[in-house]
Amino acid sequence: MTHDSGTKAEGRMKGGERADIASVLRFATELCAWVAAPWALAPWSVGAAVAAVALLIGLPTVFSTPGDKAHVIVAVPGAVTVALVLLQLAVAVAASWAAWPAWAALAVTVLATACLWTERGRWRGLLSGAARTGEA
């Protein structure tokens, strides 16, 4: 899959290759969601906090689009993969504002916005079905 800048997005890295910026920003935002969601939910319910982390990590692990990930457990259309990323971004932003000081929440919001911008090329491929056919 080619991004607007003309650089090739490699998806899963093989030995020695470097991750593209979209992957790095996406992973950083996912980490924020994995930390902020339970932090925000724990005062209300520890069970909900644990469930949130399990779902945020488990859903994208189990459900993925062929061609987008090296190992697919349950194949889903590209739109589902895009929706799962949007869920992670929304949780990262909302939970950070609920649980953390404003400066930290603002940093997560900027990170999520940058992730949205850099994911456009990947999402175009996922929504067009290119990942499923191996063109990505």
Side-chain angles (χ1 to χ4, degrees):
M1 168 186 344
T2 304
H3 292 285
D4 292 342
S5 63
T7 59
K8 181 88 170 153
E10 297 298 330
R12 291 290 174 222
M13 300 295 110
K14 295 182 177 95
E17 293 181 31
R18 292 179 48 202
D20 61 282
I21 189 69
S23 297
V24 171
L25 292 176
R26 184 175 61 251
F27 183 67
T29 307
E30 288 171 350
L31 283 176
C32 290
W34 301 344
V35 173
W39 200 324
L41 291 171
W44 175 68
S45 166
V46 172
V50 171
V53 173
L55 288 173
L56 288 169
I57 294 172
L59 287 175
T61 300
V62 173
F63 301 102
S64 53
T65 303
D68 186 50
K69 283 193 173 181
H71 303 288
V72 175
I73 298 171
V74 176
V76 295
V80 174
T81 298
V82 171
L84 288 172
V85 173
L86 287 171
L87 173 68
Q88 297 269 355
L89 297 176
V91 168
V93 171
S96 67
W97 281 103
W100 294 344
W103 62 267
L106 182 60
V108 173
T109 303
V110 169
L111 175 65
T113 303
C115 183
L116 276 172
W117 184 259
T118 59
E119 283 285 293
R120 293 172 305 134
R122 176 175 174 246
W123 290 353
R124 260 187 242 110
L126 286 167
L127 295 173
S128 72
R132 184 175 45 252
T133 61
E135 297 167 18

